[in-house]
Amino acid sequence: MRKTVEKWLLPILIFLHLAIALPLAYHLNIWVDEASTLQTTQNGLVTAFQGLFANEKQAPLYFLLLSLWRSIDHSFFFARIFSVICSVLAIAVFWRLAHKLWSGRAPMLISALFALHPYLLWASLEIRLYSFIILLTCLLLNFFVDGFMSDEVDKARQKRAQTLYAIVAVAALYTNYYLGFPLVGGFAALIVLRRWRSAKIYFLLMLGVGLAILPLFYIVRLQFSERAAAFQENKSVADALRIVWNHFLTFTLPTEIFTEEVSSSISVVRLWVVRFGMIVALVLMIKNRKRFLDNNLIGFAVITAVSVAFFFFVYAQLGSDYLQIRHAAVYYVAVFVVVCMVMVRILPDRYRFVAATILICFYVYSGMALYPAMTKRGDWERVSTYITQNESPGQPSVVFPVYDTVALAQYYKGQNTVLPDEKTFSFVPEGAVGSPDVYASQIEFVISSIPSDVREIWLVTSDKCDVKLTCLPLENFVKANYTVIQDREFYKERVRLLRKTTQ
């Protein structure tokens, strides 16, 4: 019976993931980061390569692959299908990993939790590189276990796994620089486990990987210096710990993937459930250390710990903007595996189904909370429709922040222009969030882009303007020069029709 279930479970899990992801991939609007991806990849491979370092400021592989993919079809839905495919492949690869790490029914249960995890579903619905990162980490961890953690009698198979690990490592670094963190973590895990021969082979392979990515170093240095030059808020270890802790909570027991300042009631419940579980796990680990700890748990825990340590380094250099939940995709799989290893050791087999049922309840809530009103932030499709249905000739749309113009431009097909039409990726914060200085130069540029002879404009502003005095210079300009004719709120976006005041 179990063999029959096991035979059909993987296709069923893939079907369930697709049954959730595909309708949402078709229905949901794009948000500004997705619009940026679409703009970068919409004009072919060469144009994508030329623009991605200056605009995206990221490693090239994902964008080049997506550019090739979009040469088949340019629709938003088809662009999302690439991410969905990466997630489906990640489920299949994780299935293999689970059967290497666990026995009995545990691999099937854990694979089901992975396939339906809200974070993986969120990644499937992003026209960004996150699901591709998750696929690459699943491949890396599979080859790491086969090539370096197992005492494989078949040396040819082990060597093949080591070679594939190095190849995927190169692809990973050409996809996202943060994927170097778990690569260092792999070496640290072998050292901690005293697998000296494997560590030596790993080190030599990583030297080869380093040579293969030499072309990236110059670009990384330029991008790093640009980002480090931007204004950064005051930093604290407590703030970094809070961010990483929230990542851990999301991967362990998800509620809202994008946490709000005020926690929901279910998030508070989740917090205490996780705290209680951690205390129980710690007590059992101390009591039964020899049975509780094994090489796999230690190895994956070290990979996770090293990745987190690098996140603290990034925080120290670049600030919290580069530690968001989307950046944590690089260690999502490792954290998920460690948590599942601990849970399998804590819970007797007869209680695991109950625990999985509780998890699924949290999964359902998290999925429902992810897209309020079934839209992504900015609600750009409805914003564009609203402007198009109500505009007249000679009413340009003026967008703040400037970066958001890429989102409106992807939808808007009306008779007027979208402004500003330059310097889309040129601005960085100049002061503390909530102060009138944070976007001072950008607001000045937006104001200067408004044609002097235009009597009416559509002003589109993001929820950044909801934070204290952030948009005070812009609002003062509007108050002094315009009368508000129409005012409409969308999800994380506000649209106003302004008429110039007669002087």
Side-chain angles (χ1 to χ4, degrees):
M1 177 67 178
R2 198 178 84 187
K3 287 185 177 180
T4 303
V5 172
E6 192 165 359
K7 177 183 177 182
W8 289 104
L9 183 58
L10 178 58
I12 290 171
L13 293 177
I14 290 173
F15 171 80
L16 290 174
H17 187 92
L18 291 173
I20 299 170
L22 287 178
L24 289 171
Y26 181 80
H27 173 78
L28 289 171
N29 63 289
I30 60 169
W31 71 295
V32 66
D33 276 12
E34 292 180 291
S36 177
T37 303
L38 293 168
Q39 178 175 295
T40 299
T41 59
Q42 67 188 0
N43 293 315
L45 192 66
V46 175
T47 304
F49 186 79
Q50 290 172 342
L52 67 91
F53 290 115
N55 297 337
E56 295 292 347
K57 294 180 173 62
Q58 298 194 49
L61 184 58
Y62 166 79
F63 296 96
L64 298 180
L65 290 174
L66 186 64
S67 179
L68 290 172
W69 175 259
R70 296 192 69 208
S71 66
I72 303 171
D73 186 299
H74 272 72
S75 69
F76 299 166
F77 175 65
F78 193 75
R80 277 205 180 113
I81 292 297
F82 184 85
S83 294
V84 174
I85 290 172
C86 288
S87 291
V88 165
L89 292 174
I91 293 168
V93 176
F94 185 88
W95 175 271
R96 292 190 70 252
L97 178 65
H99 281 80
K100 295 170 188 174
L101 300 177
W102 293 282
S103 57
R105 289 178 289 185
M108 294 183 285
L109 179 61
I110 293 166
S111 294
L113 295 175
F114 179 82
L116 300 176
H117 198 290
Y119 189 76
L120 183 65
L121 286 164
W122 164 81
S124 291
L125 300 173
E126 288 288 300
I127 310 175
R128 296 295 276 182
L129 65 165
Y130 312 119
S131 64
F132 190 44
I133 288 174
I134 293 170
L135 170 59
L136 289 171
T137 52
C138 285
L139 288 168
L140 284 171
L141 294 174
N142 263 276
F143 295 136
F144 181 76
V145 170
D146 287 342
F148 302 99
M149 294 286 288
S150 65
D151 298 313
E152 179 62 60
V153 177
D154 188 347
K155 297 301 178 184
R157 181 184 174 192
Q158 188 177 51
K159 188 173 181 179
R160 183 168 59 252
Q162 293 168 353
T163 303
L164 289 171
Y165 183 84
I167 292 170
V168 176
V170 173
L173 291 171
Y174 272 98
T175 298
N176 185 269
Y177 308 137
Y178 285 11
L179 281 168
F181 304 163
L183 295 181
V184 177
F187 181 69
L190 296 175
I191 296 297
V192 169
L193 293 171
R194 299 182 180 182
R195 299 182 73 89
W196 307 118
R197 184 175 178 277
S198 292
K200 180 181 177 181
I201 296 170
Y202 191 98
F203 180 76
L204 293 174
L205 286 172
M206 288 304 103
L207 286 179
V209 171
L211 291 173
I213 64 166
L214 279 176
L216 283 178
F217 284 117
Y218 177 70
I219 302 297
V220 171
R221 185 177 66 83
L222 287 179
Q223 294 173 351
F224 187 84
S225 62
E226 288 179 8
R227 292 176 175 182
F231 175 86
Q232 297 179 28
E233 300 275 359
N234 293 331
K235 303 165 189 169
S236 68
V237 174
D239 186 44
L241 284 169
R242 177 188 59 80
I243 294 170
V244 172
W245 171 247
N246 284 332
H247 295 170
F248 175 77
L249 289 174
T250 296
F251 298 155
T252 303
L253 199 61
T255 52
E256 298 85 7
I257 289 179
F258 298 98
T259 54
E260 301 291 341
E261 289 186 9
V262 179
S263 297
S264 64
S265 298
I266 195 166
S267 291
V268 174
V269 171
R270 180 268 303 270
L271 179 63
W272 286 102
V273 169
V274 173
R275 284 174 175 171
F276 178 75
M278 291 178 68
I279 292 171
V280 171
L282 186 61
V283 170
L284 291 176
M285 184 179 70
I286 294 172
K287 186 177 179 181
N288 303 294
R289 187 171 60 183
K290 290 184 179 180
R291 185 178 65 83
F292 197 91
L293 295 175
D294 62 15
N295 285 352
N296 286 330
L297 178 55
I298 293 170
F300 277 82
V302 170
I303 290 171
T304 301
V306 170
S307 298
V308 169
F310 273 108
F311 259 58
F312 280 103
F313 172 77
V314 171
Y315 175 83
Q317 297 299 315
L318 301 177
S320 59
D321 284 349
Y322 297 94
L323 253 69
Q324 300 304 311
I325 188 66
R326 59 185 183 273
H327 303 120
V330 298
Y331 61 70
Y332 158 63
V333 181
V335 172
F336 183 82
V337 167
V338 170
V339 170
C340 289
M341 284 181 174
V342 172
M343 293 303 295
V344 167
R345 286 161 173 76
I346 290 176
L347 293 172
D349 191 56
R350 61 184 178 276
Y351 294 130
R352 290 175 191 169
F353 180 77
V354 175
T357 302
I358 295 171
L359 273 170
I360 291 296
C361 291
F362 276 91
Y363 282 16
V364 171
Y365 171 82
S366 181
M368 294 174 63
L370 185 56
Y371 301 114
M374 288 300 288
T375 184
K376 291 193 176 187
R377 60 180 305 117
D379 204 0
W380 289 106
E381 186 172 16
R382 291 192 183 113
V383 166
S384 175
T385 300
Y386 176 74
I387 293 173
T388 304
Q389 290 175 347
N390 292 277
E391 69 180 348
S392 300
Q395 294 178 341
S397 295
V398 179
V399 183
F400 176 83
V402 177
Y403 178 51
D404 286 1
T405 58
V406 298
L408 183 57
Q410 288 291 331
Y411 282 110
Y412 179 72
K413 308 301 178 187
Q415 56 191 310
N416 295 301
T417 56
V418 176
L419 299 171
D421 55 4
E422 58 179 346
K423 296 189 176 181
T424 306
F425 301 91
S426 300
F427 295 97
V428 294
E430 302 173 67
V433 172
S435 75
D437 300 322
V438 60
Y439 300 118
S441 296
Q442 186 174 177
I443 289 173
E444 184 179 343
F445 174 72
V446 168
I447 293 172
S448 70
S449 71
I450 302 173
S452 59
D453 59 342
V454 169
R455 186 165 179 260
E456 294 181 343
I457 63 170
W458 292 94
L459 181 63
V460 185
T461 53
S462 81
D463 62 334
K464 285 183 169 61
C465 291
D466 297 339
V467 182
K468 296 182 181 177
L469 305 177
T470 295
C471 293
L472 182 62
L474 179 61
E475 294 304 321
N476 285 342
F477 171 79
V478 170
K479 186 176 180 180
N481 295 278
Y482 292 92
T483 300
V484 179
I485 306 302
Q486 294 184 43
D487 193 343
R488 176 77 178 269
E489 292 282 350
F490 294 87
Y491 180 55
K492 307 289 187 181
E493 211 69 36
R494 182 184 183 188
V495 180
R496 286 173 283 179
L497 177 60
L498 306 180
R499 178 176 296 158
K500 188 177 289 187
T501 305
T502 303
Q503 298 294 338

